[in-house]
């Protein structure tokens, strides 16, 4: 009888010990998971903040380049593809910029985050594109701009009905007249034309050729592509547009009249629709940091001695893109 009691007590003690070990292991695992989760959250937040500050610094650097360009002495007042702002920044390790700043081969005390950060960027002249804002004339659609975009839509094979839709919405959105409840909201970039019902496929097709700026602007003949030049001038053929692009690669145009002399009918290129200088630029920055990629783009306004950021938008951190982004 005593042996049975002792065996029963031993079994109960063993069961209690096993339950105690199980509870301790469960609590330990839960504590470790919470600690791991807190570390991951802190790491992601630190990466987000670091990326934001690095891209802000890159934007300030771009603004400095544009400001120096506007103040350059001895310049002819033009904006063209031979200037420093037009040279894209290929992806490079961030620590190399810090090393160059310190005039050393490498930064010995560079942190792991800095060593694994890669930065790239580009400044693009937005007046080298067709400005959708030009569609909005004084209380009606601007006829010249409508013809320009009609040629572009035909070139891209996009339905004319989509252009008519944009032409109806733009004057209403810019004048803000009528019932506010029915007035369309004005996008701040061409990438948001989907707000007005334009299919994403059409937005993608238009992206290399159009922009949406706060005011009406002429096309810069020093930075526009052959397609944009062709679409921007009534009666200009593609051969003339390509001739303009080839000529400016040798010497940029110092005046609209210089460009007009190269086409069969000089009146097609005039100061009403064309220019040789620009005030609006898009700054794009891309940072790859520890397997995360963040992109930012900004619209910058430049005039002599003054460079202002009008708006800035940033993409979210995307884990797992680092490998493909570096290829």
């Amino acid at each position: 009888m005593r042996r049975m009691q002792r065996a029963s007590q031993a079994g109960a003690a063993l069961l209690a010990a096993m339950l105690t070990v199980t509870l301790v292991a469960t609590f330990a695992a839960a504590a470790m998971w919470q600690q791991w989760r807190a570390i991951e959250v802190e790491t992601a937040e630190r990466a987000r903040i670091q990326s934001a500050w690095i891209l802000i610094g890159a934007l300030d650097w771009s603004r400095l380049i544009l400001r120096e360009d506007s103040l350059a002495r001895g310049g002819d007042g033009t904006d063209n593809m031979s200037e420093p702002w037009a040279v894209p920044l290929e992806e490079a390790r961030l620590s190399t910029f810090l090393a160059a700043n310190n005039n050393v081969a490498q930064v010995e005390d560079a942190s792991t985050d800095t060593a694994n950060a890669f930065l790239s960027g580009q400044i693009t002249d937005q007046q080298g594109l067709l400005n959708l804002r030009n569609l909005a004339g004084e209380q009606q659609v601007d006829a010249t701009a409508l013809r320009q975009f009609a040629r572009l839509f035909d070139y891209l094979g996009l339905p004319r009905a989509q252009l008519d839709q944009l032409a109806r919405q733009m004057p209403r959105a810019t004048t803000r007249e009528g019932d506010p409840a029915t007035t369309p909201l004005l996008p701040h970039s061409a990438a948001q034309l989907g707000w007005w019902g334009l299919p994403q496929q059409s937005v993608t097709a238009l992206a290399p050729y159009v922009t949406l700026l706060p005011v009406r602007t002429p096309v810069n003949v020093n930075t526009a592509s052959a397609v944009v030049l062709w679409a921007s001038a009534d009666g200009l053929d593609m051969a003339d547009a390509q001739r303009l692009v080839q000529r400016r690669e040798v010497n940029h145009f110092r005046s609209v009249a210089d460009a007009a002399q190269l086409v069969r009918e000089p009146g097609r290129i005039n100061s009403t629709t064309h220019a040789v200088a620009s005030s609006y630029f898009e700054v794009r920055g891309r940072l790859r940091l520890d397997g995360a990629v963040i992109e930012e783009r900004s619209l910058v306004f430049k005039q002599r001695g003054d460079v202002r950021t009008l708006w800035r938008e940033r993409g979210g951190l995307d884990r797992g893109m680092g490998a493909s982004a570096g290829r």
Side-chain angles (χ1 to χ4, degrees):
M1 188 67 177
R2 290 181 178 178
R3 290 180 179 179
M4 293 179 62
Q5 290 178 349
R6 290 177 180 176
S8 177
Q9 292 175 354
L14 180 60
L15 181 60
M18 294 177 62
L19 289 174
T20 301
V21 171
T22 302
L23 289 174
V24 171
T26 301
F27 291 147
M32 291 183 63
W33 181 84
Q34 291 180 353
Q35 184 178 11
W36 171 83
R37 184 173 179 274
I39 292 173
E40 287 293 304
V41 171
E42 181 180 356
T43 301
E45 182 65 13
R46 184 181 63 177
R48 185 188 67 82
I49 295 174
Q50 287 180 337
S51 301
W53 279 108
I54 291 173
L55 288 175
I56 289 175
L59 174 60
D60 289 341
W61 179 42
S62 302
R63 291 172 57 192
L64 178 62
I65 292 175
L66 291 172
R67 182 178 182 275
E68 292 300 316
D69 176 73
S70 69
L71 294 174
R73 295 181 178 179
D76 51 18
T78 68
D79 291 296
N80 57 81
M81 302 304 293
S82 65
E83 295 182 312
W85 64 261
V87 180
L89 173 64
E90 300 296 336
E91 186 176 75
R93 194 182 297 271
L94 183 61
S95 59
T96 60
F97 295 96
L98 301 177
N101 183 54
N102 296 322
N103 197 26
V104 295
Q106 62 180 3
V107 182
E108 296 180 356
D109 60 345
S111 66
T112 303
D113 290 336
T114 302
N116 293 332
F118 295 85
L119 182 67
S120 60
Q122 185 175 15
I123 300 176
T124 306
D125 179 13
Q126 292 299 284
Q127 289 184 227
L129 307 172
L130 290 179
N131 185 3
L132 287 162
R133 188 64 175 258
N134 291 355
L135 286 170
E138 295 183 2
Q139 299 181 349
Q140 61 182 355
V141 178
D142 184 87
T144 300
L146 187 61
R147 291 194 302 270
Q148 292 174 339
F149 280 97
R151 286 190 288 269
L152 179 62
F153 270 64
D154 289 341
Y155 174 82
L156 297 175
L158 300 178
R160 180 60 185 268
Q162 294 181 7
L163 173 57
D164 294 338
Q165 181 179 3
L166 294 179
R168 288 193 304 269
Q169 299 283 57
M170 187 60 66
R172 296 176 58 206
T174 53
T175 58
R176 307 297 297 175
E177 295 181 352
D179 186 1
T182 60
T183 301
L185 183 64
L186 180 66
H188 70 251
S189 70
Q192 298 174 339
L193 290 177
W195 294 2
W196 291 352
L198 200 68
Q200 184 59 43
Q201 184 178 359
S202 298
V203 175
T204 302
L206 290 169
Y209 309 104
V210 306
T211 186
L212 180 56
L213 300 177
V215 297
R216 294 163 55 89
T217 55
V219 172
N220 189 334
V221 295
N222 281 319
T223 59
S225 66
V227 173
V228 172
L229 287 173
W230 166 77
S232 66
D234 292 332
L236 189 71
D237 58 32
M238 188 63 74
D240 282 336
Q242 293 173 345
R243 187 181 304 110
L244 290 173
V245 173
Q246 292 172 359
R247 178 62 180 272
R248 79 183 185 207
E249 291 178 355
V250 180
N251 289 308
H252 64 272
F253 302 118
R254 289 174 170 79
S255 68
V256 175
D258 290 343
Q261 294 176 359
L262 298 178
V263 301
R264 295 184 179 89
E265 298 183 38
R268 304 299 184 187
I269 304 292
N270 57 77
S271 58
T272 303
T273 54
H274 297 86
V276 293
S278 301
S279 297
Y280 293 91
F281 297 81
E282 182 184 79
V283 178
R284 284 182 176 266
R286 183 178 186 273
L287 180 69
R288 182 161 60 91
L289 177 63
D290 289 337
V293 174
I294 186 170
E295 295 185 352
E296 181 178 275
R297 67 189 189 108
S298 309
L299 181 64
V300 175
F301 174 74
K302 181 195 77 169
Q303 58 183 196
R304 187 167 182 81
D306 182 29
V307 178
R308 303 193 307 269
T309 301
L310 302 182
W311 54 257
R312 183 173 71 234
E313 62 182 17
R314 183 178 303 148
L317 289 168
D318 189 4
R319 293 283 178 179
M321 291 181 60
S324 60
R327 293 175 186 172

